[in-house]
Amino acid sequence: MVHEVLAAVLRVRSATVQVLLWRRALEPHLGRWSLPGGRLRIDEDVETSIRRQLAEKVDVRKLSHVEQLAVFSAPDRVPGPRVVATAFLGVVPTDVDPDVPEDTAWHSVDNLPRTAFDHRDIVLRARDRLRAKLSYTTIGSALAPASFTISQLRDIYSAALGYPVSATNLQRVLSRRGVLEPTGEIAPPGRSGGRPAALYAFTCNGVHVTDAFAVLKPPTRARQRRT
Amino acid sequence: MVHEVLAAVLRVRSATVQVLLWRRALEPHLGRWSLPGGRLRIDEDVETSIRRQLAEKVDVRKLSHVEQLAVFSAPDRVPGPRVVATAFLGVVPTDVDPDVPEDTAWHSVDNLPRTAFDHRDIVLRARDRLRAKLSYTTIGSALAPASFTISQLRDIYSAALGYPVSATNLQRVLSRRGVLEPTGEIAPPGRSGGRPAALYAFTCNGVHVTDAFAVLKPPTRARQRRT
DNA sequence: GCACGTTTTCGATCCTAAGTCGAAAACTTC
DNA sequence: GAAGTTTTCGACTTAGGATCGAAAACGTGC
């Protein structure tokens, strides 16, 4: 049984969430758009494999985040011999613009072209995962550049979530969680003036779940009553 | 490449979280405890497969919940030919006690016996997933019986989370979310007296994420400012 | 029958943290 | 210097979880 790895690599650009797709040059589904990936080799685990294939095929070496999404295993998901796929969610920061080959391009996830196989399902699943994780993890740090103004960060969050976000609230929520800190630098004001914005950066390296997002927390003052 | 499906089936019993394991009768790792599961057949997807194998092997037909956990794919995770595993989290309510074969038994996840391969990692991952999901989904309905008192539910949550939970708070949190409702019936008081408890039931069928657990919510009054 | 222990239930209060608003600050261009 | 822009910050409101204690409803023992 063949096992393949696929990745929905997402980024935020021009106020939309985009996914990296490449146009199939072979049957079946010639001309349709599909996710990068390929066969799992015998000597690598799935995460190593997807990182290798992304680096080889589409020149995305500096993904800011990669995580498992789900296994897609419907027997007829691709024509011909059985192929089980492990799908990944990948994230690229807004400021990097990796060179991509001729046959690949970024597409808005809200306006996908004709996709191959079950890849549309995978893309939408990846988008939903990203949105959900913005609430309770530091995955925003994978979307944002190394340093940014609060307005820029608000635009990223707004685009990823699909609705307007308050800059004031965003700053307070992230600051309270201790994942945001000012760099001390100041960004030059825009062409139309306005107060120069302070630059911020995420304090965390990597994406992790924020503690204290959970409900039904453990008791604060350890009363050792028998429940 | 061989693909197998495995399940960490969890339940709460005697104030602990337990997992269903069976004792290997073959080499390698003869005598160690391992997760139920087996090979993926050519004509079934992974979820169909794990449900079939659980029903066949350990007589667990009425799982209250099943979900994908992760893919385990280290090249050397099992000796011999390569085997990639899709791991599942399964849940059984506290009140049912399925017949299990001779060579299987429930073990506390906090005190696991000698386990085979990477199955210990899978069990611990399943436990963590269960704990996290108690916060923001209705997975508690999969742990609990069809009807229960608040005290019983508190004991289930306390055991699953590993720390004492307030019955008052638990009831209010679940009620506010609209997933808990009184059945109208009354449970008989215990041997030592006490006010008889009202019986409750979950209003939801199946496990789903509670909306309104998210932070950075969409604006309530749709101000259409250009953000 | 009545005091006592037990368990459940419910209201009241506290507190943390998110959502909202508006004014002040700091720049631009005209 | 006046007007327009954008950022920043404090103050307030609101929501919802955490905690406490009293009242309710039962049994038991004297």
Side-chain angles (χ1 to χ4, degrees):
Chain A
M1 194 172 308
V2 176
H3 195 103
E4 69 176 357
V5 290
L6 298 170
V9 179
L10 304 183
R11 73 169 183 185
V12 171
R13 189 63 67 96
S14 352
T16 58
V17 180
Q18 301 180 332
V19 61
L20 188 65
L21 298 175
W22 66 283
R23 197 184 190 97
R24 287 183 59 82
L26 297 173
E27 290 290 357
H29 288 196
L30 186 149
R32 294 200 187 183
W33 294 86
S34 64
L35 294 171
R39 280 202 177 193
L40 175 67
R41 285 192 190 157
I42 197 70
D43 60 340
E44 58 188 7
D45 61 35
V46 287
E47 180 155 343
T48 305
S49 182
I50 193 62
R51 287 185 182 275
R52 172 182 61 78
Q53 310 222 29
L54 287 176
E56 280 179 5
K57 290 195 179 178
V58 295
D59 188 22
V60 184
R61 260 161 259 174
K62 289 183 299 186
L63 291 161
S64 48
H65 178 61
V66 174
E67 71 178 51
Q68 274 193 35
L69 199 56
V71 173
F72 290 78
S73 61
D76 59 347
R77 59 175 289 275
V78 301
R82 178 81 184 272
V83 179
V84 173
T86 298
F88 284 81
L89 160 66
V91 180
V92 172
T94 48
D95 58 336
V96 308
D97 210 339
D99 296 339
V100 296
E102 264 298 310
D103 55 351
T104 69
W106 295 93
H107 289 88
S108 165
V109 297
D110 297 321
N111 189 19
L112 288 174
R114 252 180 109 66
T115 48
F117 315 125
D118 55 357
H119 292 194
R120 178 190 176 82
D121 295 339
I122 299 176
V123 170
L124 296 181
R125 186 88 74 94
R127 182 200 58 183
D128 293 345
R129 173 80 66 94
L130 175 68
R131 283 188 178 165
K133 282 211 162 187
L134 283 172
S135 266
Y136 61 95
T137 73
T138 58
I139 205 171
S141 69
L143 287 171
S147 86
F148 46 82
T149 69
I150 297 297
S151 297
Q152 291 169 338
L153 191 65
R154 177 203 50 193
D155 292 341
I156 292 172
Y157 270 75
S158 297
L161 289 172
Y163 51 76
V165 170
S166 151
T168 297
N169 197 31
L170 179 62
Q171 169 173 12
R172 271 222 357 276
V173 167
L174 295 181
S175 295
R176 170 126 51 189
R177 292 179 177 178
V179 297
L180 198 64
E181 73 180 356
T183 65
E185 292 177 86
I186 302 289
R191 315 135 209 78
S192 57
R195 176 172 174 171
L199 287 176
Y200 284 80
F202 279 93
T203 60
C204 55
N205 282 341
V207 174
H208 56 84
V209 299
T210 308
D211 36 291
F213 91 94
V215 100
L216 299 172
K217 300 194 184 81
T220 49
R221 303 156 206 164
R223 295 292 193 92
Q224 291 301 20
R225 293 273 180 80
R226 201 158 261 317
T227 313
Chain B
M1 194 172 307
V2 176
H3 196 101
E4 70 175 357
V5 291
L6 299 170
V9 179
L10 304 183
R11 73 169 184 184
V12 171
R13 189 63 66 98
S14 352
T16 58
V17 180
Q18 301 180 331
V19 61
L20 188 65
L21 297 174
W22 66 283
R23 198 183 189 99
R24 286 183 60 82
L26 297 173
E27 290 290 356
H29 287 194
L30 186 149
R32 295 200 188 183
W33 295 86
S34 63
L35 294 171
R39 281 201 176 194
L40 176 67
R41 285 192 190 157
I42 197 68
D43 60 339
E44 58 188 6
D45 61 36
V46 286
E47 180 157 344
T48 305
S49 181
I50 193 62
R51 287 185 182 276
R52 173 182 60 79
Q53 309 222 29
L54 287 177
E56 281 179 5
K57 291 196 180 178
V58 295
D59 188 22
V60 183
R61 258 160 259 173
K62 287 182 298 186
L63 291 162
S64 48
H65 179 61
V66 173
E67 72 178 48
Q68 273 193 35
L69 199 56
V71 173
F72 290 78
S73 62
D76 60 348
R77 60 175 289 276
V78 300
R82 178 83 184 270
V83 179
V84 174
T86 299
F88 284 80
L89 161 65
V91 180
V92 171
T94 48
D95 58 336
V96 307
D97 210 338
D99 297 337
V100 296
E102 264 297 310
D103 54 352
T104 69
W106 296 93
H107 288 88
S108 165
V109 298
D110 297 320
N111 188 21
L112 288 174
R114 251 180 111 65
T115 49
F117 316 125
D118 55 357
H119 292 194
R120 180 189 175 82
D121 296 339
I122 299 176
V123 171
L124 296 181
R125 185 87 74 95
R127 183 200 58 184
D128 292 345
R129 173 79 67 94
L130 176 68
R131 283 187 179 164
K133 282 212 162 187
L134 283 173
S135 266
Y136 61 93
T137 72
T138 58
I139 204 170
S141 69
L143 287 172
S147 85
F148 46 84
T149 69
I150 297 297
S151 296
Q152 291 171 337
L153 191 65
R154 177 203 49 195
D155 291 340
I156 292 172
Y157 270 75
S158 297
L161 290 171
Y163 52 76
V165 171
S166 151
T168 298
N169 197 29
L170 179 63
Q171 169 172 12
R172 269 227 353 282
V173 167
L174 295 181
S175 295
R176 170 127 53 187
R177 292 178 178 179
V179 296
L180 198 65
E181 72 180 358
T183 64
E185 291 177 85
I186 302 288
R191 314 134 210 79
S192 58
R195 175 173 174 169
L199 286 176
Y200 285 80
F202 280 92
T203 60
C204 56
N205 283 339
V207 174
H208 56 85
V209 300
T210 308
D211 37 291
F213 91 95
V215 100
L216 300 172
K217 301 192 184 81
T220 48
R221 302 156 204 165
R223 293 293 191 93
Q224 291 301 22
R225 290 272 179 79
R226 206 164 252 314
T227 315

